[in-house]
Amino acid sequence: MDGTQSPSSATAVAAPAAGPGPVPAYYSAKTEEIIRKYGNGGRGAPHYHLGLFDGPLPTSQIGPEAIRERICRAQEAMLERAARRWGVFAAPPGSLLDIGCGLGGGSLYWAQEHGARVTALTNTAAHIPHLWEFSRAAGVADRISPVLMDVHDLSTERAYDAAVAFESTNHMERYRLFEVVARALRPGGWFGIEDHFLTGDRAAEYLNDYYTTRLGTFDEYLSAARAAGLELADNDDVTAGVTEFWVQSMAWSATELERAMQSGDAGETTERTGFTTARLAESARKHGIFFRLWRDREVETRLLLFRLPPR
Ligand SMILES: C[S@@+](CC[C@H](N)C(=O)[O-])C[C@H]1O[C@@H](n2cnc3c(N)ncnc32)[C@H](O)[C@@H]1O
């Protein structure tokens, strides 16, 4: 596979014969829920990552639809900040590998806003038909090539100007990840990451069990990058800006739950949101806990930029 592979052959890359592992199984089960909760992300495909807020926003006089719009705008703000920090407005990459692309909100962003030819790589088969549909409807199907593959198996050489990974590296084996990315980039290429980093071990088990992740530390990423010959070029701590995301997400669940209780029609709420009332209650409770973990900096969120030295 390389950056110019035709989409039809790209999607022919088979899922492992033994069936999906826990991560694709987790995302397959969540696909419809993500689409119903985040809608078209305000752009044409859902984002599934934290959003960036300037500060606290009141949630008491506002309904779930407006909160959802806010969340989508904050997710876009995260992408825009990354693009600015990583120099994309000044020097857009021609070809970009979106690692762990989810349902494609980010892939659409890089293609629509920066004109990149995007290889949208995911290990979740259930995402692929949606990626096709969302890119077609957004008019960028010619710029986005969905690929079904576990990134650990990537063997592409010198094909991309850039790679990005938004909240997907937390599922991956970091040494292997940096090794395959370093090989896939052209000399002078860059690798941008948005992800969460443990500052101790108090939150690890709780978060990893809930999200099927294997969160790491910032130091682990640095060592893995160094081993692959990639150099840290930017380190942007956005923890304060994303903490508010949990308040807004909690408010979304709580206001949807309140509405379901008042109308007495939990079925209608489930149909519209993709969440049962039990899931809404669970989500509101968990996001309250996540708010505290981020506020107390048990976990930090960073935008990291790594560069492959020029030849
Ligand atoms: C939290 S979602 C983020 C989706 C997207 N980057 C976004 O921001 O909207 C994580 C994504 O990483 C993908 N992923 C996790 N492990 C992967 C792997 N080993 N190879 C390829 N994709 C992987 C999952 O399938 C999922 O699509």
Side-chain angles (χ1 to χ4, degrees):
M1 192 205 62
D2 67 29
T4 57
Q5 186 180 21
S6 78
S8 54
S9 59
T11 51
V13 175
V23 173
Y26 168 80
Y27 282 105
S28 289
K30 272 190 99 66
T31 298
E32 287 307 318
E33 186 183 288
I34 294 170
I35 292 173
R36 288 211 232 155
K37 175 168 179 187
Y38 294 95
N40 74 6
R43 166 171 298 282
H47 300 294
Y48 193 53
H49 58 81
L50 300 194
L52 201 54
F53 288 84
D54 287 337
L57 287 175
T59 55
S60 48
Q61 304 288 331
I62 181 171
E65 293 83 6
I67 294 174
R68 181 168 95 154
E69 270 174 41
R70 247 181 206 178
I71 286 175
C72 292
R73 277 200 304 277
Q75 291 171 317
E76 286 268 319
M78 178 73 90
L79 285 158
E80 210 181 299
R81 175 154 175 150
R84 239 171 252 297
R85 295 282 302 204
W86 301 342
V88 177
F89 286 92
S95 57
L96 179 141
L97 176 64
D98 187 359
I99 300 171
C101 62
L103 287 154
S107 300
L108 254 63
Y109 172 81
W110 302 110
Q112 290 175 323
E113 300 298 325
H114 303 287
R117 273 174 292 110
V118 179
T119 299
L121 186 149
T122 176
N123 63 351
T124 302
H127 291 167
I128 298 290
H130 294 293
L131 285 166
W132 281 116
E133 178 49 29
F134 291 140
S135 352
R136 195 198 52 73
V140 285
D142 58 334
R143 307 197 73 77
I144 296 185
S145 305
V147 172
L148 176 61
M149 175 182 269
D150 186 317
V151 72
H152 301 105
D153 298 331
L154 186 71
S155 58
T156 309
E157 291 180 25
R158 309 282 165 251
Y160 299 103
D161 299 321
V164 297
F166 278 69
E167 293 182 26
S168 58
T169 68
N170 56 42
H171 294 291
M172 296 166 188
E173 202 286 289
R174 259 72 70 172
Y175 279 81
R176 177 72 183 154
L177 170 68
F178 278 99
E179 181 191 333
V180 299
V181 171
R183 188 169 54 209
L185 289 174
R186 299 197 173 101
W190 56 265
F191 180 25
I193 291 177
E194 185 260 305
D195 225 314
H196 319 306
F197 303 90
L198 295 169
T199 58
D201 52 15
R202 284 177 298 275
E205 200 178 326
Y206 191 75
L207 287 167
N208 286 337
D209 284 355
Y210 190 68
Y211 284 118
T212 324
T213 49
R214 42 166 114 169
L215 289 164
T217 62
F218 178 50
D219 283 348
E220 184 210 327
Y221 277 68
L222 286 189
S223 304
R226 218 173 284 130
L230 284 156
E231 293 164 0
L232 181 69
D234 192 41
N235 172 8
D236 184 18
D237 183 339
V238 293
T239 312
V242 302
T243 301
E244 177 67 14
F245 177 91
W246 294 120
V247 178
Q248 299 297 323
S249 194
M250 190 171 29
W252 179 84
S253 302
T255 48
E256 284 289 4
L257 184 58
E258 192 58 26
R259 203 178 264 187
M261 304 309 252
Q262 277 169 4
S263 74
D265 189 352
E268 188 273 331
T269 299
T270 305
E271 178 61 29
R272 192 166 41 78
T273 62
F275 282 57
T276 61
T277 48
R279 269 284 290 133
L280 287 170
E282 158 87 345
S283 200
R285 185 175 75 81
K286 285 274 164 63
H287 290 190
I289 295 169
F290 298 156
F291 165 73
R292 297 202 300 277
L293 290 176
W294 260 257
R295 186 202 53 192
D296 299 347
R297 298 189 81 95
E298 297 287 346
V299 190
E300 295 174 338
T301 300
R302 292 172 188 273
L303 288 165
L304 302 179
L305 177 66
F306 296 92
R307 275 193 193 285
L308 196 63
R311 209 187 300 272

